[in-house]
Structure formats: structure tokens, C-alpha cells
Amino acid sequence: MMNKLGLILRGDMPKIQRLLSTATSPAKATSQSKPYIVGEPSGPTMKCEVPGPQSKSLLADLSKIQSMDSVHFFADYDKSLGNYIVDVDGNEMLDMFTQISSVPIGYNHPALLSAFDSPSAMRVLVNRPALGVYPGADWAQKLRDVMLSAAPPGLDQVTTMMCGSCSNENAFKLMHFKYMEKLREGRTFTAEEMESCMINQAPGTPNLSVLSFHGGFHGRTIASLACTHSKYIHKIDVPLPNWPVSDFPRYKYPLEENIRENEEEDNRCLALAEEAIANSGNNGCPITGVIVEPIQAEGGDHHGSNKWFQGLQQICKKYDIVYLIDEVQTGGGPTGKMWCHEWFDLEDSPDIVTFSKKMLTGGLYHKPELRPKQPWRIFNTWVGDPGKLILLDAVLKTIKKDDLLGNTLATGDILLSGLKDLESRFPQYLKNTRGRGTFCAIDCDTGARRDDVLAKLRSLGVHAGGCGEAAIRLRPALIFQPWHANIFLQKLEDVLMAQ
């Protein structure tokens, strides 16, 4: 059956074949015709505006002890289920933002609710260790069974962390260690280096930098924030190192109609990046590595071509610096592969891949040659949380059992085609449809329009997010299915028709 958008309704999945990142052969799209979580609402139900009176009351109470004006509404996590988030006023909303893209398999998934049923799992939760000094006997095997089972191809070293920011911070350290180790040519630290670093002076504290890109977002701790260039409010009033920043491609859409212009944009941006790296030594602040997102999410869902990412890797190899791909928001399957950079046909694996969000734990994968040669250099009290690995293990097994990457690809096709259809019918409001899997976005003609559309979508029971200047970004869970996509598309059409 088709709706008036010409989209396939519940259960009628398109027959496609795609190569999954975790499979060795093409896998057919799922034919799942029921929700992955029993009891999930069949559609949104709205009882009042959002935020409603209970949310407003709770925010007033919270504001007495904490400044958190960013709160949209308060959720009822006992009642939230699957793809639906329920607020404290009883509104059941289709969640296409999922805690800023950090809910992998929906709310209250049975596999996660039962993850701590065993006494041994509960003891892991209760007795949280300082993993860098007192790990449990099974820790190395847990890292192999869970973290390395999901590792990007070619990377066999992993360190867990608490969040995306600290993952990037420690990745930057590995970049700098490599550079300084090469300069020292294998010698040990000098007394002058050891003494001067204690007062943040050279030579022990060298003047080094990381190259990042306009529109990127990599965290809110100091070095990560220095590499963040998405919104001024993240950075203003904070002293930061004066590290270089270059241009990330800004493409013209549709891509197939702007091939020459977009190739020129790739060439321009690659030339700028190489120029910055080549000149950094002469400027007195050598670049030791490059950090880049596969899709600049917070900055506006800007995509880069295979040529762009391949070219960056070649430049990093040419100058013997580290190539870091920040998969904090794209990792864990939302693009239809476990890692978005798997789409790019890179010559070799990145040197480092950082992660968090849908992976439930922060951390970094990296190549063996980046291992620090001394202890305590990549360290904090927790170095992650083994309880998160118990949850991630359940997530990864669910992804495999239910072929959620296949589901994401199939649903993403419907979501993207529906957005393109709406763009063609409402060109005065919408432009630049783009996406991989269900990691999709579309621009409104103005930021004010985007904000109005998001507010009206929420009033109709769809919770989506914004990013950049005027983009609507979609970040559903991996259990988001074709009929969920069609609910969203119909609600978006309703909002656009009322503009």
C-alpha cells in the first residue's frame, strides 16, 4: 500500500542488497514487519504542548540548583519504549533524535533490561574498578570479545574512556607522542625536558598542534574544544591553543548534478589542508595529526566524498602525521555500516578512530605503532567502565541477531527518498537532502524556519533535532523501521503544507 507521498507503508520492505560492514557477503534487507520491541506504540499520542506543565514545573525546580536552560522536556523513562520517548506529561513522541544520537537499539530494549540479571554482571556494576591499575581477571577477554569484535578493520588496539571528548583528548596525546618520539630518535627524556614540562615550558612542553576543520565538533574539554568550530557558544570566553583550522568541503546538491563543482571543492579543500600542514613547522607549531568527522554532525551534517577522505589520508601519510577519524556520532551503525569511514574505500585503516554515543562507552581504536612506550601516559581513574561493556555486548549481539544494519540501510533508503520527494514539492522551504543509512538531514531555507518546523513536528508527536545554521538532523535508533519513517514523513508534510 502507498501513501500520498508514494512511499511504502508498514511491512512492505523494498528488496535491496547491500554489503554490511560486519558481514563477509551481501546481506538482504530485513523483512521484519513488526516492531523489534513488543508493546511499542503504533504512533505518536499528544496530550498537551511540549514542554507541558509537569516539565515546566520540574525545570523550575532544577533551576534552583543547576543552570541547565538547554532542557527541552523531562522524560518518563519507565514508559518510554522502542522508538518512542514519553515525557512526564504523558506525550508519546516518535524519537528521531535519541539523546543526541546515543540510543542504539531503542528505549527499554529487553536485551538491555536483562543484561545485569546475573550475579556476576551485577558485581561488575557494583565494584567499579580503576581499570588502569586493578582490572578484573576477565578484562582482557572482555575487550577482545566485545570491543575488538566491533573494531574498525585494521585496528587491533583499544582503550576505553568515559566520553567522546576525553577519547579525542587522549588521541591527541598519541599524535604528539609519535611526533616527539621521532624527534628524539629513541633516546630517553632529558632532565631539562622533565623539569620544564612541570611549568608548561619548552622543551618538555613542545608547541605542537592538531589540524581541524570549520564546522567540526569534537568535544568541550580544552584540546577538543580547540578543534571544535560549530557554534560560538561552545567556545566563547575559554582560553584555547591557537591551533590551525581549514575548510571542510561544502557541496552543491543534488550531487549528481554538480559533479564538476564538487570535485573542484574537494581539490580546493585538500590543497588548503596540505598547505597548513606543510607550513606548520615554519610557523613554529608543527601539526602532528588531523582530526575529521565522517559527517560533520553538530556543525550542520556536512558530508565529504570518498575523494576527500582518501586525499586527507594520503596527505597525512606524505607528512608522516596521524589520521584520526572521529566517529563519536557516526559510529555504531547509523549509516548502515558499523563505522561510517568504511564507506570511503580508504587505502588503509585510519591511524585512530574515536567513539562514544551509540557505542555506550567512549574510547579509541588505534594502530599498534601508536602505543605509548611508558606507563601512565594514557590514563585516568576509571579508563572506561566494564558495566558499559556488558550493555554494549548485548547491543552488538542484537545488531547481529536482528540484522539491524540491514534494517538501517533499507529504512534509510525510504527516509532519504521521502525527504527528496518533499524537497521537490516544497523547494521554497527545503533543500540539500543528504544522508547515509538513517543518518539523514535536510536544510530549511532559514534557521527560523527550521526552528519553527521542529517545534511544530514536536507538537504533532515527532521529536527531531537541528544542527548548523538551518539543518534538520535525524538520528533514530537502529530499530527505526519503514513505517516509522513514513510517520515522520507524513508529519513533516503536514507541517510544510501549513507553512
Side-chain angles (χ1 to χ4, degrees), residues 16 36 91 236 293 321-322 374 422 443 455:
I16 63 169
Y36 285 103
N91 296 303
I236 197 165
E293 297 164 274
I321 63 174
V322 175
Q374 301 85 12
L422 288 172
D443 291 338

Side-chain angles (χ1 to χ4, degrees), residues 176-194:
H176 303 327
F177 296 166
K178 174 188 173 180
Y179 183 88
M180 294 306 297
E181 193 71 29
K182 183 179 178 181
L183 284 187
R184 278 193 290 266
E185 298 181 327
R187 68 167 172 80
T188 59
F189 307 128
T190 66
E192 183 184 15
E193 287 170 338
M194 290 186 286

Side-chain angles (χ1 to χ4, degrees), residues 255-267:
L255 295 177
E256 61 274 11
E257 296 178 11
N258 295 279
I259 294 173
R260 180 180 59 81
E261 294 89 342
N262 291 336
E263 284 184 353
E264 290 174 354
E265 177 69 352
D266 279 338
N267 292 335

Side-chain angles (χ1 to χ4, degrees), residues 151-225:
L155 300 182
D156 64 358
Q157 305 291 300
V158 64
T159 302
T160 52
M161 288 286 162
M162 293 310 302
C163 66
S165 293
C166 60
S167 302
N168 285 327
E169 293 279 345
N170 284 283
F172 296 159
K173 289 182 184 179
L174 294 183
M175 294 177 175
H176 303 327
F177 296 166
K178 174 188 173 180
Y179 183 88
M180 294 306 297
E181 193 71 29
K182 183 179 178 181
L183 284 187
R184 278 193 290 266
E185 298 181 327
R187 68 167 172 80
T188 59
F189 307 128
T190 66
E192 183 184 15
E193 287 170 338
M194 290 186 286
E195 292 169 5
S196 61
C197 77
M198 299 304 293
I199 55 172
N200 303 329
Q201 298 293 317
T205 303
N207 192 24
L208 304 174
S209 63
V210 176
L211 179 65
S212 54
F213 298 94
H214 292 293
F217 182 92
H218 301 288
R220 296 173 186 264
T221 50
I222 294 299
S224 297
L225 191 58

Side-chain angles (χ1 to χ4, degrees), residues 327-338:
E327 292 251 24
V328 166
Q329 192 155 153
T330 52
T335 69
K337 289 184 182 288
M338 200 66 195

